[in-house]
Amino acid sequence: MLLEELRKSVLEANLELVRRGLVLYTFGNASGVDRKQGLVVIKPSGVDYDELRPEHMVVTDLNGKIVEGTLRPSSDLDTHTLLYREFAEIGAVVHTHSEYATSFAQAGMAIPALGTTHADYFYGPVPVTEELTDEAIGGRYVHETGLAIVNRFKGIDPLAVPACLVAGHAPFVWGRTPHDAAHNAVVLEAVARMAYRTLTLQANCKGVSQALLDRHYFRKHGASATYGQSG
């Protein structure tokens, strides 16, 4: 069986989304990439999470061609593979329809950086894409979804802001590993929930200052990070 360890970590990322309440029924998916081999491991389409096993994961190349697996891959495969091709430093992608992050996506609103919880993980607002055109929706829809994300991230470091809201749809989140991507998806939902409540209380909230954003983001990220234990 190809990529046995990556299959296990991708499965665990998918199950983490369920444990944290980010997916309903068979919604959502997680994938991981082996950069050395140029292969992607992704959840199969429409299989109940209780039944998922490492051997059920589907292996494809970076263009979505199935290399190993008897089940159909996630219907969002073309978005995942495009993100891997365009964002060379990411190692995993997660897609959910989590309630609060999806609410911002449906409203066509970015999630603003309103406080330090957001700043610990996202160096600025979590952006929202442009709406897909009728032509894009009627054509290679899943591929076009990936293009909308990539186009929105021109000038944004995808590792500094590891998530994007697809307008009218839902969030896509990523990280260096499947665990990181799932972790970021859980945090995204938490900050989306807090942002919704904050904006309900104070619609004109100015958000976190640049100094506080810098302080909190860089204490956890980069060469000078001080959060957690070293070694």
Side-chain angles (χ1 to χ4, degrees):
M1 185 168 65
L2 284 172
L3 304 173
E4 185 171 357
E5 290 305 312
L6 184 57
R7 286 172 183 263
K8 291 177 181 177
S9 62
V10 168
L11 172 59
E12 179 58 26
N14 278 286
L15 296 179
E16 179 69 358
L17 302 180
V18 177
R19 286 193 293 264
R20 299 292 181 173
L22 269 61
V23 300
L24 297 172
Y25 297 111
T26 60
F27 294 11
N29 44 72
S31 71
V33 63
D34 183 309
R35 292 288 183 184
K36 291 182 179 179
Q37 297 190 54
L39 297 176
V40 173
V41 173
I42 194 166
K43 172 184 173 285
S45 178
V47 177
D48 191 285
Y49 284 87
D50 290 338
E51 300 175 3
L52 281 178
R53 301 292 182 271
E55 57 268 26
H56 296 147
M57 300 297 113
V58 183
V59 181
T60 79
D61 66 16
L62 283 167
N63 292 303
K65 180 181 178 182
I66 295 176
V67 174
E68 185 173 87
T70 58
L71 300 174
R72 287 190 302 169
S74 165
S75 58
D76 292 304
L77 173 64
D78 284 354
T79 302
H80 288 242
T81 54
L82 191 150
L83 294 178
Y84 289 133
R85 294 196 304 270
E86 294 292 333
F87 297 162
E89 293 185 308
I90 71 172
V93 175
V94 163
H95 174 52
T96 78
H97 286 244
S98 60
E99 185 175 353
Y100 282 88
T102 298
S103 296
F104 275 89
Q106 291 179 167
M109 293 175 57
I111 302 174
L114 299 177
T116 61
T117 311
H118 185 119
D120 280 339
Y121 285 86
F122 304 100
Y123 191 52
V126 176
V128 62
T129 68
E130 296 289 335
E131 291 185 15
L132 269 64
T133 65
D134 291 350
E135 182 180 8
I137 294 167
R140 296 179 63 193
Y141 170 62
V142 181
H143 178 80
E144 293 287 346
T145 297
L147 285 179
I149 295 171
V150 171
N151 288 337
R152 184 63 185 82
F153 266 71
K154 290 178 179 176
I156 302 175
D157 179 354
L159 288 181
V161 184
C164 187
L165 308 177
V166 178
H169 187 174
F172 281 82
V173 189
W174 46 83
R176 292 188 182 276
T177 67
H179 172 81
D180 289 344
H183 184 96
N184 289 338
V186 173
V187 174
L188 176 69
E189 179 64 6
V191 299
R193 182 168 58 249
M194 285 185 268
Y196 175 85
R197 290 171 174 167
T198 301
L199 295 172
T200 299
L201 292 167
Q202 176 56 270
N204 296 319
C205 180
K206 294 180 180 179
V208 71
S209 68
Q210 186 65 47
L212 200 53
L213 179 70
D214 289 348
R215 177 76 181 193
H216 272 261
Y217 182 79
F218 290 112
R219 74 174 185 151
K220 294 190 73 170
H221 307 274
S224 300
T226 59
Y227 183 87
Q229 303 302 312
S230 60

